[in-house]
């Protein structure tokens, strides 16, 4: 039905970790499994959104209705997100990916050797320094767009001072909504099947208590429907 296709809202969700290569055998990454982002994508599809999912390397399946783009690094994720926002009319953006904040300044074409000095007793062989540089902030880029800016939702993953950090990110990155999760708790967060989040927007907040990531995803999406300006 042409009418429902035209009226269909589109949502862009990032998920999973990014991988920042050091050399052909080593990389910097984190524990994100992609489960939270994929749950958001599945639930958004159920709610009738056209779903774009930009995902780092994860081992998860998804429905055919979801358009998935695979990336490895933060730079690749940014370039795919930019392309989608330029070419599709994206109504809602949710940054659920755990993007490596830093990447190595130099990629070594060959495997870095453990010992590069003949003197194995020298301190030089016991330490190595890796110089890192900041990755682009994808969420900040989307939230600060002047044109074609989607309703922008971020996540905040912390092991301490969750509320304070979430409120700072909400304001500093100019987000419409942030979903704060405590990743120090064993039963939730990275790689678990459950999560609990506190939503912060404006000067309001709402708790979504411990539940399956699908249930939490539905709670977040329902909340977005409630607070999103009606013109979007
Ligand atoms: O994947 P799972 O195993 O299911 O775990 C889910 C999760 C814990 C990864 C997820 O719920 C979550 O919290 N995702 C965000 C992780 C994160 O990187 O949080 P942060 O507080 O470091 O970053 C804040 C926000 O900025 C996030 O929306 C992040 O996507 C975004 N960001 C961060 C750095 C960067 N360079 N660019 C970004 O866009």
């Amino acid at each position: 039905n042409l009418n429902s296709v035209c009226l269909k809202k589109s949502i862009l969700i990032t998920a999973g970790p990014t991988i920042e290569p050091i050399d052909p055998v080593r990389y910097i990454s984190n524990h994100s499994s992609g489960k939270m982002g994929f749950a958001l994508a599945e639930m958004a599809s159920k709610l009738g959104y056209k779903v774009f999912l930009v995902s780092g390397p994860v081992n998860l399946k998804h429905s055919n209705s979801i358009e998935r783009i695979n990336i490895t690094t933060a730079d690749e994720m940014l370039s795919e997100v930019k392309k989608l926002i330029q070419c599709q009319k994206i109504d809602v953006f949710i940054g659920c990916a755990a993007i490596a904040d830093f990447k190595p300044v130099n990629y070594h074409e060959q495997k870095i050797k453990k010992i590069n000095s003949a003197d194995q007793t020298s301190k030089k062989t016991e330490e190595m320094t890796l110089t890192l540089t900041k990755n682009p902030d994808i969420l900040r880029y989307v939230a600060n767009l002047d044109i074609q800016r989607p309703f922008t939702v971020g996540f905040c993953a912390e092991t301490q001072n969750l509320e304070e950090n979430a409120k700072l990110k909400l304001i500093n990155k100019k987000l419409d909504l942030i979903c704060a999760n405590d990743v120090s708790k064993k039963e939730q967060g990275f790689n678990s099947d459950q999560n609990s989040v506190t939503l912060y927007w404006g000067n309001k907040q709402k708790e979504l208590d411990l539940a399956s990531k699908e249930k939490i995803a539905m709670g977040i999406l329902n909340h977005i429907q409630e607070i999103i300006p009606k013109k979007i």
Side-chain angles (χ1 to χ4, degrees):
N1 165 328
L2 190 62
N3 224 5
S4 71
V5 172
C6 291
L7 291 172
K8 213 168 188 181
K9 286 200 175 78
S10 65
I11 190 166
L12 168 53
I13 297 162
T14 65
T18 67
I19 282 188
E20 313 296 333
I22 299 168
D23 70 14
V25 296
R26 305 180 179 97
Y27 59 79
I28 294 172
S29 192
N30 58 66
H31 296 298
S32 173
S33 62
K35 287 177 187 172
M36 189 67 242
F38 275 59
L40 282 161
E42 290 296 342
M43 296 303 116
S45 180
K46 276 206 174 131
L47 287 174
Y49 281 98
K50 164 122 195 70
V51 184
F52 298 94
L53 177 63
V54 178
S55 176
V58 297
N59 236 329
L60 297 173
K61 293 200 168 70
H62 57 86
S63 312
N64 288 335
S65 58
I66 295 169
E67 193 165 320
R68 172 172 170 188
I69 296 113
N70 292 323
I71 57 87
T72 305
T73 64
D75 286 320
E76 287 168 14
M77 182 173 274
L78 176 63
S79 111
E80 293 302 330
V81 164
K82 276 185 179 170
K83 258 192 264 171
L84 284 166
I85 291 179
Q86 272 160 24
C87 303
Q88 312 284 336
K89 192 193 155 298
I90 302 293
D91 298 299
V92 179
F93 174 84
I94 307 183
C96 187
I99 296 151
D101 290 311
F102 292 92
K103 65 185 167 198
V105 170
N106 296 311
Y107 173 73
H108 291 256
E109 295 291 340
Q110 304 300 332
K111 183 182 170 195
I112 301 169
K113 301 302 290 175
K114 256 191 311 225
I115 299 166
N116 50 16
S117 152
D119 178 8
Q120 293 190 28
T121 59
S122 89
K123 193 165 177 249
K124 230 173 140 187
T125 62
E126 296 299 319
E127 292 177 358
M128 82 94 82
T129 303
L130 192 61
T131 309
L132 306 178
T133 184
K134 242 185 172 169
N135 258 328
D137 190 318
I138 297 165
L139 184 61
R140 190 186 289 274
Y141 163 80
V142 175
N144 287 277
L145 283 171
D146 289 326
I147 46 166
Q148 288 180 296
R149 179 192 184 278
F151 185 83
T152 308
V153 181
F155 268 74
C156 177
E158 298 291 344
T159 55
Q160 57 181 350
N161 305 329
L162 183 61
E163 176 169 359
E164 187 189 336
N165 284 309
K167 286 177 172 171
L168 278 175
K169 282 176 196 174
L170 176 72
I171 293 165
N172 291 343
K173 298 196 188 196
K174 299 201 172 90
L175 309 178
D176 296 303
L177 173 71
I178 194 156
C179 316
N181 46 195
D182 183 338
V183 290
S184 69
K185 293 184 180 161
K186 259 213 315 273
E187 70 278 14
Q188 67 174 61
F190 287 113
N191 203 17
S192 91
D193 291 331
Q194 294 187 308
N195 207 358
S196 74
V197 299
T198 308
L199 307 179
Y200 296 96
W201 74 105
N203 51 14
K204 303 203 186 98
Q205 71 183 72
K206 180 180 177 173
E207 304 287 335
L208 298 180
D209 294 335
L210 189 69
S212 69
K213 285 187 173 166
E214 286 70 26
K215 211 167 164 206
I216 294 293
M218 199 48 111
I220 293 170
L221 291 162
N222 283 334
H223 187 71
I224 292 172
Q225 310 265 52
E226 274 174 37
I227 65 165
I228 198 165
K230 293 292 170 264
K231 62 177 168 32
I232 297 183

